[in-house]
Amino acid sequence: MQTDFLEFRNQNTQPIPQMQIFNNFGVVAEGWYFVCPSEDLPSGKAKGFEICGQELVLFRGADKKVRALDAYCPHMGTHLGVGKVEGNQIRCFFHHWRFNEDGECTDVPCQKMIPTKAKVNHYRTLEKYDSIWVFPNSQENQDLADFPNLPSAQWTSVMGKSYTRSCHHHVTMINGIDPQHLKTVHRLNIEMALEIAEKKNGRQIDISLTGTVPKTTWKEKLAQLILGPRYGYSMRYDHANNGLLTLMQNVYLFGGKFKFPTLHMIFAYRPLSGGQTLVQPIYLTQKRPGIRGFFINRLLIFLTQRAFFALQGEDGMVYENMRFFPQNLLEIDRPITEYIQYVNKIPKSVWRLQRT
């Protein structure tokens, strides 16, 4: 970890406040963390992954279900990712100790008695949006969020290319709810009205922005002619580490004659070592039947990707040159203020990137 970046640089003149959870690389909040596309882990296979500084082994059993355990065998510490899947259990490559989905040792070939401490931690997994997700405990009862008003079973998804940012994922997630930067960075002169709704479970927060498309430049006039006078988008944050973005809300083309379908994507985040964040975009659209539906889905996915790519490079210039310390937030920054407060209420997990 680049501790000089986080702890020493300009600390006498511009100290960074250490928050309980927000922007704190020493803490891993509870939440659903993206692991890999579902197709990357076929039945009978095991793979090792580093998730938020925690070494895990994930394996898919004969029943097609994915399990997640701490990676190191409690016998001598061999990584279980090089082991062999047997039925719905995994056997260590070194001395062939076998473990079930609860992390309990069920077989020691050299003796009948199993040591009382022959156990590793297990974690809940979930398959959704054609991806595998893991939660840093085994007791979580809440699934990864759906998009508003439409369950995940009605979506088709396409995996985008992952990339990294040189900051904490909590900071990267602010991008979608910062109305000022639409004007300053992206030169989109749209006045946005704000709505914020935190869910009762405290694990989700919905932030919606709507506005009127101006007509001061030829680009804005063309956009209003095509898209209509109003524009809106919303971000549903789930467990402070996934963002579900809905674009083109209530957009009517060509004078209100045709309502354009909403565009959707997921930003899945997880912190890496060295002060980095992995960002995994997932593009989604509602399932439509038949050949016509197939081409409509592909077109909408393509438009979602284009909208994302148009902004990605400019935003990267910000996050690759940033050391976030929110000391002078304004009233217009209220979405960011409320987001920080929301993050700091998410429970801490047993995982840590460093001791706190």
Side-chain angles (χ1 to χ4, degrees):
M1 179 178 293
Q2 296 174 340
T3 54
D4 64 319
F5 179 81
L6 296 175
E7 297 178 6
F8 305 124
R9 194 169 299 178
N10 289 23
Q11 283 298 292
N12 289 333
T13 56
Q14 292 180 297
I16 299 177
Q18 185 71 47
M19 297 193 184
Q20 180 180 359
I21 295 177
F22 179 83
N23 196 28
N24 187 341
F25 272 103
V27 173
V28 177
E30 289 189 348
W32 287 106
Y33 290 93
F34 174 84
V35 179
C36 66
S38 292
E39 64 183 11
D40 287 1
L41 192 67
S43 294
K45 297 296 183 181
K47 285 188 177 182
F49 295 91
E50 180 187 333
I51 310 294
C52 304
Q54 189 84 357
E55 288 287 340
L56 304 179
V57 58
L58 276 80
F59 62 98
R60 192 186 295 275
D63 60 0
K64 312 298 184 183
K65 180 182 175 182
V66 176
R67 281 89 173 169
L69 305 176
D70 275 342
Y72 299 111
C73 178
H75 179 212
M76 290 190 182
T78 301
H79 200 297
L80 295 173
V82 298
K84 180 181 178 182
V85 178
E86 294 184 355
N88 297 322
Q89 302 188 43
I90 189 167
R91 191 178 289 277
C92 179
F93 176 78
F94 197 13
H95 297 102
H96 290 192
W97 289 24
R98 187 180 64 200
F99 300 89
N100 63 19
E101 64 179 28
D102 294 325
E104 299 168 339
C105 183
T106 60
D107 182 46
V108 176
C110 67
Q111 65 179 36
K112 293 183 178 181
M113 186 182 70
I114 296 175
T116 56
K117 295 184 178 181
K119 185 175 182 179
V120 293
N121 288 340
H122 68 288
Y123 305 99
R124 189 183 168 198
T125 63
L126 174 71
E127 289 197 76
K128 194 169 185 176
Y129 303 119
D130 296 323
S131 303
I132 298 172
W133 311 77
V134 65
F135 200 93
N137 67 39
S138 60
Q139 304 300 322
E140 177 60 24
N141 295 318
Q142 300 173 24
D143 286 345
L144 179 65
D146 289 314
F147 280 85
N149 304 318
L150 198 58
S152 59
Q154 299 179 27
W155 296 97
T156 183
S157 62
V158 173
M159 199 69 54
K161 184 178 180 180
S162 63
Y163 58 96
T164 59
R165 292 291 193 215
S166 297
C167 65
H168 197 284
H169 70 282
H170 292 157
V171 175
T172 307
M173 293 177 80
I174 283 174
N175 180 68
I177 56 173
D178 181 0
Q180 288 189 87
H181 97 287
L182 295 176
K183 296 180 180 180
T184 57
V185 176
H186 303 306
R187 297 170 295 281
L188 299 175
N189 189 28
I190 303 177
E191 296 293 336
M192 306 294 282
L194 170 70
E195 291 185 13
I196 300 176
E198 185 170 344
K199 300 301 181 182
K200 293 181 180 180
N201 58 28
R203 305 297 181 89
Q204 293 179 13
I205 186 170
D206 289 347
I207 299 179
S208 301
L209 295 100
T210 57
T212 301
V213 180
K215 295 191 293 184
T216 55
T217 68
W218 72 267
K219 289 183 179 180
E220 293 167 352
K221 292 178 182 178
L222 179 62
Q224 188 174 104
L225 176 65
I226 298 175
L227 301 178
R230 297 194 63 78
Y231 176 80
Y233 71 91
S234 65
M235 182 73 82
R236 169 166 286 181
Y237 288 120
D238 180 76
H239 288 88
N241 62 329
N242 295 297
L244 285 71
L245 174 64
T246 301
L247 299 168
M248 304 293 283
Q249 291 181 320
N250 301 316
V251 170
Y252 290 84
L253 304 183
F254 307 109
K257 296 180 180 179
F258 173 70
K259 188 178 188 300
F260 195 84
T262 50
L263 305 178
H264 307 273
M265 67 175 296
I266 296 174
F267 295 93
Y269 301 93
R270 74 168 182 255
L272 305 172
S273 58
Q276 301 283 309
T277 286
L278 174 75
V279 187
Q280 175 62 63
I282 305 173
Y283 309 104
L284 303 104
T285 187
Q286 185 178 357
K287 288 181 179 178
R288 295 173 177 84
I291 297 298
R292 181 174 178 271
F294 172 83
F295 285 106
I296 292 176
N297 289 346
R298 289 295 164 180
L299 174 61
L300 293 175
I301 291 289
F302 173 79
L303 293 175
T304 308
Q305 291 173 319
R306 291 302 101 189
F308 171 62
F309 292 155
L311 305 177
Q312 181 184 14
E314 293 175 326
D315 289 332
M317 293 174 61
V318 175
Y319 293 112
E320 299 303 319
N321 297 278
M322 187 176 192
R323 190 183 69 147
F324 189 80
F325 49 104
Q327 294 178 329
N328 292 287
L329 294 180
L330 309 175
E331 174 57 29
I332 196 174
D333 297 318
R334 187 165 68 89
I336 297 171
T337 302
E338 298 219 13
Y339 174 73
I340 292 173
Q341 294 172 352
Y342 149 73
V343 171
N344 282 329
K345 291 187 288 186
I346 301 294
K348 298 178 182 179
S349 77
V350 297
W351 295 353
R352 297 289 186 272
L353 296 186
Q354 63 185 28
R355 293 188 179 276
T356 59

